[in-house]
Amino acid sequence: MTTPVGKPETIGADRLAIAAGGVHFFPGKNLLLIGLGTCITLNFVNKYKEFLGGSISPGLEMRLKSLQYYTAKLPYTPARADVPLIGYDTDTNILSGVILGMAYELDGFIDAYNAKFDNFNVVLTGGDTQHLASHVKNRIFADPDLIFKGLYAISEINNA
């Protein structure tokens, strides 16, 4: 895999590991590899194994904690996967806004990448995959451990 971006030394090790895992398990495909951890990272690797970049936005916990921190009365609400569209109390209103809002954000990005690239796979990975995978409407693969599989793939190449 190559990284023809402006400053390759600034690419996070987590993003490189996710990209390596994607290239290993989906060779010859355009890939949108979405890391769902502290931040949401969208990592695009084209079918030529070039990591082209992507985007970074706040992750699930960051969003949930910011509502408590930046408002006078909203509580911290722990994440869960069973989220109603229409919240019926403060906690479910927060979860609907944050989790479904993130799912709609991901669907919007996936739609934009789908319009631009063919032979395309989307993989969700990371600790918050369990909370979001069922809410994303686009066709995806969900592999919470892709980062670890990518680290393994890197070690196999480095030790060959």
Side-chain angles (χ1 to χ4, degrees):
M1 179 179 68
T2 60
T3 56
V5 296
K7 293 185 177 183
E9 68 276 6
T10 66
I11 301 169
D14 58 330
R15 297 179 80 186
L16 290 173
I18 290 168
V23 167
H24 180 75
F25 288 103
F26 301 95
K29 301 280 187 182
N30 288 316
L31 300 169
L32 180 59
L33 306 161
I34 301 173
L36 299 171
T38 304
C39 291
I40 297 173
T41 61
L42 277 70
N43 307 286
F44 185 73
V45 180
N46 68 19
K47 60 187 172 187
Y48 307 108
K49 298 182 184 179
E50 297 172 316
F51 178 85
L52 299 180
S55 62
I56 302 171
S57 67
L60 179 57
E61 281 297 309
M62 194 179 297
R63 293 175 195 222
L64 291 169
K65 288 178 180 176
S66 71
L67 289 174
Q68 178 189 25
Y69 184 80
Y70 288 108
T71 64
K73 294 189 178 188
L74 291 178
Y76 171 76
T77 303
R80 62 179 207 237
D82 61 329
V83 177
L85 175 62
I86 301 171
Y88 49 83
D89 60 16
T90 302
D91 284 350
T92 57
N93 277 272
I94 289 171
L95 292 173
S96 177
V98 171
I99 292 176
L100 296 182
M102 287 174 67
Y104 301 148
E105 175 184 337
L106 295 178
D107 277 322
F109 273 113
I110 294 167
D111 288 344
Y113 277 83
N114 270 326
K116 188 167 180 139
F117 300 100
D118 61 351
N119 197 18
F120 188 76
N121 283 336
V122 178
V123 183
L124 297 185
T125 189
D128 290 329
T129 300
Q130 64 181 328
H131 302 300
L132 285 153
S134 65
H135 299 292
V136 174
K137 300 302 178 204
N138 280 284
R139 184 182 62 85
I140 60 161
F141 294 93
D143 184 348
D145 300 321
L146 184 64
I147 190 170
F148 303 113
K149 293 173 181 176
L151 289 171
Y152 182 78
I154 291 168
S155 73
E156 287 290 305
I157 291 167
N158 287 339
N159 293 320

